[in-house]
Amino acid sequence: MDGSAGGGLMINRRRLLASAAAGAGLAVLPPVAFARADEDARLDAILTRQFEADLDDAPQQATSLGLDVGARAGQRGQLADRSLAKAEAGREEARAQLAELRTIDPVALSAAGRLSYDILGFQREVAAAAADFPWHTANGWRRTPYVVSQINGAYIDVPSFMDTTHPVKTAEDADAFLARLEAFSAALDGDTERSRHHAGMGVVAPDFILDTAIRQLTALRDQPGADQAMVRSLTRKMTEAGLEGDHATRAAALLDGPVKAALERQIEALRGQRETAVHDAGIGRLEGGEAYYALNLKAFTTTTSTAAEIHQLGLDQVADIQSQADELLKGEGYTQGSVAERMAALRTEARFVYPNTDAGRADLLAYVNTEMDRVRARMPEVFARVPTSQFLVNRVPPAIEAGAPGGYAQGGSLDGSRPGIYFINLKDTADWPRWTLKTLTYHEAAPGHLFEGALALQSADLPLYRKTVGFSAYGEGWGLYAERLADELGLYEDDPFGRIGYLESFLFRACRLVVDTGLHSKGWSREQAIRYMTENVGDPNETEIDRYCSAPGQACSYKMGEIAITGLREELKARPDFDLKRFHSAVLDGGRMPLTVLEQRVRSAFA
């Protein structure tokens, strides 16, 4: 947040206090009220200052939020510093931020202040604890020992960001695009430096992870600059904005020159690591790996559940969901074989699969867009507040699709001028038979991620540090709850195969609980994890298994979050005053938060 935005927050608070004093006799409030107001103000000042300091180091986030203007305009031409020195400084900063936050007396806070303290306090505690692992890397939703992998690194993030997020509406924007490409090689070299440093501590990704990363890096290196999606995007955006200049030619030259050289250095480093890499998939093999996994489970699930407890919960959930799916499949005439075998056969039926061609991909995207419009029209039925911003569906950039997840969402800007985008991986349309697409849309777009994220960003009541904070169990739990809500809204009526897709999605996330904990706590091999997924959900998705290996613990957040949200709703439905819109407001209006904090907040809303 820039200085003017911070000033705006303080002005609003002064106006609020002045208004309250004039209308309610603030001068005669008891001393405890003044003490709470003072401590709330001190907490807000600390969290605002920390947010601004973090944003100083995150120019891409500043652009994503639309805050790279005014005093922050220079950030539009910058990329984040990914050097080893910066990473080391970040570890000390995480400890310092927690220490500063702990100078606050939580007992002296108002209810609203205590909520912010508990939310950001959890985040700060996890970050400070992670600083004790010198090889820990936090990058967006990824918490990983591996700086460069098939899902992590500047080579993944920067091309997608430049293609989809960097604005090109003015000549200055186009110049900033080139400035960021000039910084791309340094970002790559920073990753390479840290990766080598981690390898020196014995932290090297498994051989299969390195193989995929090297393939993707090589593909990016070998693609001519002029053919890369981000350069084509630059050309298109300049044309739409009526801008002239040789920026596309210069951008291609940067990619073909210094960026290509930096990619070659990174490939060389990873090839060196590949020579000594092992095939063991889990992080239990690393010194401190067990403790690190426990911390990641805490960070991703925002609960105190152990790996053993999560593993058993997953086994129980798999059995229950398979029983439900069995009945649906039998109802459609699929009676032979296990649930997984029947679902696998259903995936290959020609009537459900789009051609793996550009035309087939276009038809698939058109179907998804139609479904997204249909579900958004139903949202006022169950939500008191709905976002006004636009949602888009895009294909995952082909250059990174080999290692990318099947689908993911990217939130829009604070002012709504840049829409939220839901990305679908279309490297092979057979990955997405038609009966799976409704559920994916409900999860990623509405009422899932883009819907929830837009409500947070557009909230008039939340400070920026609350609008932008993220917790995987809350976000992914909501995405999975959104699938359940769509079923309850009747969006699968007259579409039994769509409802089978919904149950397959839940089964898939339940299997994740088993597989993630199996890999990182029980010593499962990659092949054992693939076999479990094949035998229980019918999809031997190696890309997904490799993702769990590279981001240990994150796969557990989905079902753990959904179980918590659904459990809260079922608990409160017994009350005579229960109202679904009121429940959704209690869950969503406070922004993202740890599940333990969410439970307290929602229960108090119905107290």
Side-chain angles (χ1 to χ4, degrees):
M1 180 170 61
D2 63 25
S4 61
L9 287 173
M10 296 304 293
I11 290 170
N12 289 340
R13 184 168 294 102
R14 287 195 292 270
R15 288 175 178 168
L16 177 62
L17 290 175
S19 174
L26 182 62
V28 296
L29 284 175
V32 67
F34 283 111
R36 286 178 176 168
D38 287 346
E39 201 69 353
D40 278 6
R42 201 162 73 85
L43 172 67
D44 181 72
I46 288 172
L47 293 177
T48 298
R49 184 168 60 253
Q50 291 182 357
F51 174 82
E52 291 184 2
D54 290 343
L55 200 61
D56 287 342
D57 294 332
Q60 288 151 266
Q61 184 188 16
T63 296
S64 295
L65 293 172
L67 296 176
D68 56 347
V69 295
R72 292 191 175 277
Q75 287 190 290
R76 189 164 295 191
Q78 300 171 0
L79 297 176
D81 184 347
R82 304 173 77 102
S83 67
L84 177 61
K86 188 63 178 178
E88 293 294 323
R91 293 169 60 215
E92 293 306 315
E93 180 64 19
R95 297 187 179 105
Q97 287 190 345
L98 176 61
E100 184 181 30
L101 186 59
R102 283 179 171 169
T103 65
I104 293 291
D105 178 7
V107 177
L109 295 168
S110 68
R114 182 59 188 263
L115 184 60
S116 289
Y117 180 87
D118 289 344
I119 292 170
L120 276 300
F122 181 92
Q123 187 190 58
R124 300 292 188 264
E125 287 174 6
V126 167
D132 293 337
F133 297 90
W135 33 262
H136 168 68
T137 297
N139 187 13
W141 59 269
R142 295 149 293 193
R143 298 173 55 85
T144 175
Y146 314 126
V147 178
V148 181
S149 71
Q150 88 288 9
I151 60 169
N152 195 47
Y155 87 98
I156 291 282
D157 296 338
V158 173
S160 178
F161 172 83
M162 299 303 292
D163 178 23
T164 64
T165 308
H166 181 99
V168 182
K169 297 179 180 178
T170 67
E172 290 75 17
D173 292 343
D175 291 341
F177 190 104
L178 293 179
R180 276 182 158 149
L181 283 191
E182 288 174 352
F184 189 14
S185 58
L188 289 164
D189 285 338
D191 282 352
T192 303
E193 176 191 27
R194 286 185 294 132
S195 181
R196 283 188 167 130
H197 181 71
H198 290 189
M201 293 185 279
V203 178
V204 175
D207 53 12
F208 54 90
I209 297 297
L210 290 173
D211 287 343
T212 304
I214 291 169
R215 281 198 304 272
Q216 292 182 165
L217 282 160
T218 302
L220 185 61
R221 179 201 64 188
D222 292 345
Q223 185 178 26
D227 294 340
Q228 294 196 23
M230 52 183 156
V231 177
R232 294 198 303 270
S233 175
L234 172 63
T235 300
R236 175 180 54 79
K237 290 175 182 178
M238 288 186 67
T239 299
E240 291 172 352
L243 300 174
E244 297 181 354
D246 61 350
H247 292 74
T249 301
R250 292 160 64 190
L254 287 167
L255 292 171
D256 290 333
V259 171
K260 183 174 181 177
L263 287 167
E264 183 58 42
R265 290 189 288 271
Q266 192 161 106
I267 293 167
E268 180 184 0
L270 265 58
R271 283 175 176 161
Q273 294 171 27
R274 178 62 177 82
E275 293 177 2
T276 59
V278 299
H279 194 66
D280 294 351
I283 59 169
R285 64 188 165 79
L286 301 179
E287 184 176 352
E290 182 179 352
Y292 182 75
Y293 186 54
L295 178 62
N296 265 19
L297 285 179
K298 177 181 178 181
F300 281 127
T301 72
T302 62
T303 71
T304 58
S305 298
T306 66
E309 291 168 339
I310 293 171
H311 190 84
Q312 185 59 52
L313 178 61
L315 292 172
D316 295 341
Q317 289 272 313
V318 167
D320 178 61
I321 299 167
Q322 282 183 338
S323 177
Q324 297 178 54
D326 181 46
E327 291 186 17
L328 271 181
L329 287 163
K330 286 177 178 176
E332 296 306 313
Y334 294 81
T335 60
Q336 301 300 310
S338 68
V339 167
E341 289 169 342
R342 282 175 278 168
M343 283 186 169
L346 198 60
R347 279 184 162 271
T348 63
E349 287 195 25
R351 59 175 169 154
F352 296 123
V353 178
Y354 288 90
N356 196 36
T357 62
D358 288 343
R361 292 182 178 92
D363 288 343
L364 186 154
L365 289 172
Y367 175 82
V368 169
N369 273 294
T370 298
E371 189 58 35
M372 187 163 63
D373 291 341
R374 183 171 81 106
V375 68
R376 288 200 71 175
R378 299 287 304 277
M379 293 300 93
E381 298 174 27
V382 287
F383 293 97
R385 190 165 62 96
V386 297
T388 57
S389 53
Q390 186 183 6
F391 298 164
L392 299 178
V393 185
N394 282 358
R395 179 183 178 183
V396 170
I400 63 169
E401 64 188 6
Y408 57 91
Q410 174 183 287
S413 57
L414 279 167
D415 62 4
S417 61
R418 194 191 72 253
I421 303 174
Y422 128 47
F423 289 91
I424 181 169
N425 195 327
L426 296 181
K427 65 180 184 296
D428 187 347
T429 54
D431 292 338
W432 295 112
R434 187 180 290 107
W435 52 271
T436 67
L437 291 172
K438 283 186 177 180
T439 300
L440 178 69
T441 301
Y442 306 149
H443 182 103
E444 299 292 349
H449 291 318
L450 295 181
F451 185 93
E452 172 268 316
L455 284 180
L457 290 179
Q458 294 169 17
S459 172
D461 300 324
L462 297 178
L464 269 174
Y465 53 76
R466 287 274 299 280
K467 290 183 179 184
T468 56
V469 70
F471 298 96
S472 191
Y474 179 97
E476 298 299 352
W478 177 263
L480 206 53
Y481 171 81
E483 299 175 24
R484 181 186 293 276
L485 182 62
D487 180 45
E488 293 165 349
L489 282 169
L491 291 171
Y492 297 112
E493 285 183 4
D494 303 321
D495 184 7
F497 290 104
R499 194 161 192 279
I500 289 170
Y502 155 62
L503 283 181
E504 188 213 39
S505 172
F506 266 55
L507 179 59
F508 178 52
R509 273 40 178 259
C511 285
R512 280 177 165 177
L513 298 179
V514 179
V515 168
D516 196 279
T517 52
L519 286 164
H520 299 295
S521 181
K522 294 183 175 296
W524 283 19
S525 67
R526 177 178 185 258
E527 289 70 28
Q528 187 175 355
I530 292 171
R531 186 165 60 251
Y532 182 87
M533 294 293 278
T534 303
E535 292 173 352
N536 286 279
V537 77
D539 183 9
N541 194 322
E542 297 180 8
T543 299
E544 282 289 324
I545 299 300
D546 292 351
R547 170 185 165 188
Y548 312 154
C549 296
S550 293
Q554 194 271 341
C556 296
S557 59
Y558 299 73
K559 205 68 178 71
M560 294 294 286
E562 181 274 326
I563 289 170
I565 295 170
T566 302
L568 270 173
R569 191 188 69 174
E570 296 309 300
E571 170 192 324
L572 294 168
K573 277 175 70 174
R575 296 176 57 99
D577 61 343
F578 179 80
D579 176 78
L580 189 57
K581 285 187 178 182
R582 181 181 172 192
F583 173 76
H584 288 156
S585 294
V587 173
L588 294 173
D589 286 355
R592 304 176 185 96
M593 59 188 72
L595 295 179
T596 50
V597 179
L598 180 69
E599 289 175 358
Q600 297 170 7
R601 170 181 166 80
V602 174
R603 288 193 181 106
S604 66
F606 283 85

